[in-house]
Amino acid sequence: MEPVPLQDFVRALDPETLPRVLRVCSGVYFEGSIYEISGNECCLSTGDLIKVTQVRLQKVVCENPRTSQTMELPCNFQGYFTPLNTPQSYETLEELVSATTQSSKQLPTCFMSTHRIVTEGRVVTEDQLLMLEAVVMHLGIRCARCVVGLEGQQVILHLPLSQKGPFRKWEPSAPRTLLQVLQDPALKDLVLTCPTLPWHSLILRPQYEIQAIMHMRRTIVKIPSTLEVDVEDVTASSQHVHFIKPLLLSEVLARQGPFPLSTEILEVPERRPIFLSPWLGSLQKGQRLCIYGLASPPWRVLASSKGRKVPRHFLVSGAYQGKLRRRPREFPTAYDLLGAFQPGQPLRVVATKDCEGEREENPEFTSLAVGDRLEVLGAGQAHGAQGNDLDVLVCQRLSDQGGEDEEEECEEEAESPERVLLPLHFPGSFVEEMSDSRRYSLADLTAQFSLPCEVKVVAKDSSHPTDPLTSFLGLRLEEKITEPFLVVSLDSEPGMCFEIPPRWLDLTVVEAKGQPDWPEGSLPMATVEELTDTFYYRLRKLPACEIQAPPPRPPKSQGLSKQRRHSTQEGGVKSSQVLGLQQHALLPKPKAKTLPKFTKDGSSTYRKIPAHRKGHRPAKPQRQDPDDDEHDYEEIVEHFQKTI
C-alpha cells in the first residue's frame, strides 16, 4: 500500500477489518508539547508503528464551498442530505452531452459547473443547477440550450459545447442521513444539500479519533485524524510484531491477577527512598521481579523505638509473629491522658514531677506532687478567670495504700473520694500504672487496646531471622494503617519476599516471558521494614493519623504591669491589696452542672483539696515580691515615650 494521508486512510477504513498496523512515513512534531495535548497524541516519529484498534467519530465540520465558512454538526444530527453532483466530471459541455447520449439516459439532464460562467450578460455561479434540454444551433454555433433559475424566474441560456468546465452531472437520489453519507466512499468530498441547513450547498469534513497501541506506551494512544502525517498499512507484514505495554504496580494491583506474575522493571520513580532495606537498592531497570499477589492482612502498624536519643521508625506488618508485652505509657500533659482514656477501661497514672495548679485561673485546679496517684474519670468544663469556659480533665485521687496506719484514711476516701480538676494544657508528667505481664501477638494487642501504646518485644518473629525490634527497650505503637501491599521477590533471590506499597513505590514494569511457580510452603516474608524519617513524617500526615485535634492553647495570664497600672489609678492603694481584691473578685462559682456525676449520692460539687495531707507535698503558696513596685519597667518605658 502506498503512503496516504492519515485522514484519507481513516475515511476509507472499514471498521470490520480492525485492528490494522500502520507505519508512519512522515512524522510530525507539534511545537510546545512532547507527547499530547488535551489527551490527544500530537507527535509521531517517522518509522513508528501504530496498531489501530478503534476509530470513533468526534465531530463533523460543515463547509460552505462558496464562502469557506464552517460550522460544526453534532454526530447525532437529524437532517437529510442529497448529493448535488457525482464523482464523474467532464472537461467540456461536449463531453457531457456525448456521455449522456451514449448512455441509456436521454436529454434533458441536469448538471453543474465547478466554476463561474459569464454568458449573454448573465452570471451562473458555481454549483448552480442547470437543466440541459437539447443541442441547437445558435448564431451559427452548436450550443446547449439550458434552463436555469435566476432571481426567481426560469431563464434560457445558450452555452457553446466548447464551454470549459469541469462539469458534473446531477442525478436525483434518495435523501441520506449524516452517517450514511460518511460511510459511502463515493460521496467523499461531494457537494451536498440539506434543507435544514442555511446553505444551499455544503461539503462535509468529518474528524475522527483513532485509538491505537504503540510501543512502550502504558495507555491507549488517541490520535486525531487531522494530524498531518502520512501512513502506510503494513498489517500483512507485521503479524509477528509484539507491542510492549508497560504496567504500573498500581495497575497490577487493580486488575488482581493472574498471579504469580513475572515482570521486568522498566523505570523506578525518582523519589527519596521510603525504606532503609537492602532489597530497595536492587530495584533498578532490568531487574526481574516475581509478584505473588496481595499481602494479607492489609493493615500495618507504625512503630517508633524508645530509649534512644534518635528514634528509629518501622512499619510492622499485620503478619508479624513476634510476642509483645505492654509497658506503662507516658503522658506529658492532661490532654494526652484524655486522648488515651477509653470509657469502660480504667486508666490509672502516677505523677512523676511536681506541678503547681493554676489557682489564679480557678481555685479548684489542683497542684500535684511526685507520687500522686490518679484515676482518670473523663472530660468536663470549669469557669476560667476571664469568665470563659475551660475544658478540664476530671480525675479521682487515689490513696498510696502504703501502710496499715492509712487504712482509716483510705476508708474515708472510699466513702468520699477526692476529685481533681486538671486543665487540658496542664504541663504535668504522668506514667501509667499497670500490672499486665501477658504476652500478646500484634493482632491481639491492636484488637484489645487502643493506639498509641507502649510495648516491649519479648520474642522475635521466627520468620524474620534479623528481627530488629527485639533490640529496643521499648516500642511505641503509634497508628494502624490500612493500605494494600504487593508480595514481591527478586528473580535472583526467590527465597526471600518483601512487600511493596504501590501507592508510594509505583514501579513501571513489563510482563516477562515465562510463568513462575509458587514456592513450596508459605512465602518467607520480611514483616518489619525500617522507614526513612521523611517517609515516616509523610505517613503521620495521613488522615488515619489525624484523628485527634491539636492540644488546646493555654489561657493568657494577666501581667503584673497591668495590675500595677490599675493600682495607680485607684489612688495609691498598695498593689498587693489590689491583687488580692482582683483575685477575690475573679473567683468563679463552681460550674458543677457540666461535670460528670461520679459520686454515689449524685452530688455535683467538689470538695476542696486539703492543704496538708500525709504523703503529699503541700502546694507552694504564690508570693509576690514587694520590691516589684519599684521596678515597673513597662511604666518607665511608657513614660519615656511620652517624654520624647
Side-chain angles (χ1 to χ4, degrees):
M1 175 182 175
E2 294 296 327
V4 294
L6 181 62
Q7 177 77 6
D8 295 346
F9 173 82
V10 174
R11 292 202 61 178
L13 178 65
D14 182 4
E16 298 296 329
T17 62
L18 294 177
R20 309 294 295 178
V21 179
L22 308 180
R23 181 170 56 228
V24 178
C25 297
S26 60
V28 62
Y29 176 77
F30 188 88
E31 186 176 358
S33 174
I34 298 178
Y35 294 111
E36 58 183 33
I37 291 180
S38 302
N40 290 328
E41 189 76 13
C42 61
C43 300
L44 295 175
S45 301
T46 302
D48 282 351
L49 290 180
I50 305 171
K51 187 175 183 179
V52 180
T53 58
Q54 187 177 357
V55 175
R56 186 173 64 88
L57 180 65
Q58 268 193 324
K59 61 182 179 181
V60 178
V61 177
C62 182
E63 180 183 346
N64 187 335
R66 295 181 181 178
T67 62
S68 298
Q69 292 178 315
T70 60
M71 62 185 299
E72 288 189 14
L73 298 180
C75 298
N76 58 352
F77 180 71
Q78 299 300 319
Y80 289 90
F81 298 86
T82 303
L84 292 179
N85 51 31
T86 60
Q88 182 65 40
S89 63
Y90 304 91
E91 294 298 325
T92 62
L93 273 179
E94 188 173 4
E95 291 182 12
L96 188 149
V97 171
S98 175
T100 302
T101 55
Q102 291 177 6
S103 64
S104 58
K105 296 181 180 180
Q106 301 296 322
L107 299 179
T109 185
C110 294
F111 70 97
M112 289 179 297
S113 172
T114 58
H115 297 283
R116 190 177 61 168
I117 301 175
V118 180
T119 181
E120 298 181 1
R122 299 183 183 276
V123 177
V124 179
T125 61
E126 65 245 25
D127 298 328
Q128 177 71 46
L129 191 63
L130 299 95
M131 184 173 67
L132 194 157
E133 292 183 330
V135 177
V136 297
M137 296 294 295
H138 180 69
L139 301 177
I141 301 174
R142 292 186 66 201
C143 296
R145 187 176 67 192
C146 304
V147 179
V148 61
L150 295 175
E151 300 177 357
Q153 59 181 350
Q154 299 291 327
V155 178
I156 296 178
L157 297 177
H158 292 84
L159 301 177
L161 294 183
S162 60
Q163 179 72 43
K164 293 183 179 181
F167 301 99
R168 294 179 183 273
K169 294 174 66 174
W170 179 80
E171 298 176 0
S173 60
R176 307 189 189 188
T177 64
L178 177 62
L179 293 181
Q180 288 174 341
V181 171
L182 297 179
Q183 292 172 358
D184 190 349
L187 300 180
K188 175 185 174 184
D189 295 334
L190 291 186
V191 179
L192 309 171
T193 184
C194 178
T196 58
L197 293 178
W199 302 329
H200 171 69
S201 57
L202 52 93
I203 298 176
L204 298 180
R205 304 196 183 280
Q207 296 183 10
Y208 298 88
E209 179 186 79
I210 304 168
Q211 296 186 6
I213 299 173
M214 295 183 66
H215 275 303
M216 304 303 292
R217 299 299 292 270
R218 193 168 46 83
T219 57
I220 296 294
V221 178
K222 298 179 181 179
I223 306 173
S225 62
T226 55
L227 203 62
E228 296 180 359
V229 59
D230 292 341
V231 296
E232 179 185 5
D233 191 339
V234 292
T235 305
S237 60
S238 303
Q239 298 296 326
H240 63 286
V241 176
H242 175 67
F243 288 83
I244 299 176
K245 181 183 178 182
L247 289 172
L248 292 175
L249 287 187
S250 55
E251 295 173 338
V252 175
L253 179 66
R255 73 182 193 180
Q256 298 182 352
F259 297 115
L261 178 65
S262 181
T263 62
E264 181 178 330
I265 298 178
L266 293 180
E267 185 179 0
V268 180
E270 295 182 1
R271 295 179 183 176
R272 293 183 178 179
I274 60 176
F275 297 138
L276 297 175
S277 303
W279 54 262
L280 195 66
S282 302
L283 301 183
Q284 298 178 358
K285 183 178 180 180
Q287 174 67 52
R288 294 176 68 96
L289 302 176
C290 182
I291 304 176
Y292 292 101
L294 190 64
S296 180
W299 57 270
R300 277 143 191 81
V301 174
L302 194 61
S304 296
S305 63
K306 302 281 291 184
R308 295 192 179 187
K309 291 183 179 180
V310 181
R312 295 166 63 184
H313 311 290
F314 300 90
L315 199 60
V316 186
S317 170
Y320 182 73
Q321 298 299 318
K323 295 299 180 180
L324 314 172
R325 184 173 291 157
R326 294 176 61 207
R327 295 179 72 251
R329 291 175 287 180
E330 297 178 2
F331 307 98
T333 65
Y335 176 79
D336 297 289
L337 280 175
L338 180 60
F341 174 71
Q342 297 290 330
Q345 297 183 5
L347 177 59
R348 296 183 177 183
V349 296
V350 178
T352 58
K353 74 174 184 179
D354 298 334
C355 198
E356 296 185 6
E358 300 178 355
R359 292 184 177 274
E360 70 277 1
E361 189 70 31
N362 189 312
E364 292 184 292
F365 288 171
T366 312
S367 299
L368 295 178
V370 175
D372 282 354
R373 301 174 62 246
L374 302 175
E375 181 175 355
V376 180
L377 300 179
Q381 283 189 333
H383 282 300
Q386 300 177 0
N388 57 328
D389 294 337
L390 296 177
D391 294 327
V392 298
L393 182 69
V394 183
C395 302
Q396 174 178 297
R397 192 187 295 274
L398 303 176
S399 64
D400 290 341
Q401 298 178 356
E404 297 179 358
D405 54 344
E406 295 184 0
E407 287 181 2
E408 253 177 57
E409 192 175 346
C410 292
E411 289 175 6
E412 238 177 73
E413 291 189 356
E415 296 176 2
S416 178
E418 179 185 355
R419 300 289 187 261
V420 176
L421 299 184
L422 301 177
L424 294 187
H425 62 270
F426 185 74
S429 180
F430 309 91
V431 65
E432 183 180 14
E433 276 191 351
M434 74 162 52
S435 58
D436 188 359
S437 59
R438 289 181 54 193
R439 290 153 53 114
Y440 296 89
S441 66
L442 184 61
D444 293 339
L445 187 70
T446 54
Q448 298 180 31
F449 302 98
S450 61
L451 300 182
C453 69
E454 309 284 340
V455 298
K456 173 73 171 69
V457 178
V458 294
K460 70 177 183 179
D461 187 348
S462 58
S463 64
H464 197 320
T466 59
D467 186 355
L469 303 184
T470 56
S471 61
F472 301 108
L473 296 177
L475 286 176
R476 178 179 172 85
L477 305 184
E478 297 175 337
E479 197 63 49
K480 190 174 183 179
I481 299 175
T482 301
E483 183 69 28
F485 280 58
L486 287 174
V487 180
V488 180
S489 72
L490 300 176
D491 186 62
S492 56
E493 300 179 15
M496 188 60 190
C497 297
F498 49 90
E499 299 175 350
I500 294 181
R503 178 178 177 183
W504 300 301
L505 188 57
D506 208 1
L507 304 176
T508 303
V509 300
V510 63
E511 293 188 40
K513 295 181 180 180
Q515 186 73 12
D517 298 327
W518 282 96
E520 297 180 1
S522 59
L523 293 173
M525 191 71 59
T527 54
V528 180
E529 299 291 353
E530 185 171 359
L531 308 178
T532 62
D533 290 343
T534 302
F535 185 57
Y536 165 75
Y537 290 113
R538 182 179 172 186
L539 288 180
R540 294 296 292 166
K541 291 181 181 179
L542 293 179
C545 304
E546 298 176 353
I547 299 175
Q548 295 184 357
R553 180 178 296 178
K556 296 181 179 179
S557 59
Q558 193 173 17
L560 291 177
S561 60
K562 182 178 179 180
Q563 296 172 356
R564 295 192 193 99
R565 288 196 298 272
H566 182 69
S567 66
T568 306
Q569 296 174 1
E570 293 294 332
V573 183
K574 291 182 179 180
S575 63
S576 61
Q577 295 177 353
V578 175
L579 183 58
L581 290 174
Q582 287 180 349
Q583 288 182 349
H584 179 72
L586 292 174
L587 288 180
K589 296 179 181 180
K591 189 177 180 181
K593 292 182 180 179
T594 62
L595 296 173
K597 299 179 180 181
F598 297 107
T599 55
K600 295 180 181 178
D601 58 356
S603 174
S604 59
T605 58
Y606 296 93
R607 185 163 59 87
K608 293 183 178 180
I609 304 175
H612 299 281
R613 290 191 50 197
K614 186 175 181 181
H616 295 279
R617 182 179 298 177
K620 296 179 181 179
Q622 293 183 348
R623 298 182 59 189
Q624 184 174 356
D625 190 354
D627 296 335
D628 283 350
D629 293 336
E630 300 176 4
H631 302 284
D632 197 344
Y633 301 106
E634 191 172 348
E635 289 185 359
I636 293 174
V637 173
E638 292 178 357
H639 179 71
F640 180 70
Q641 291 175 348
K642 291 179 181 178
T643 305
I644 295 176

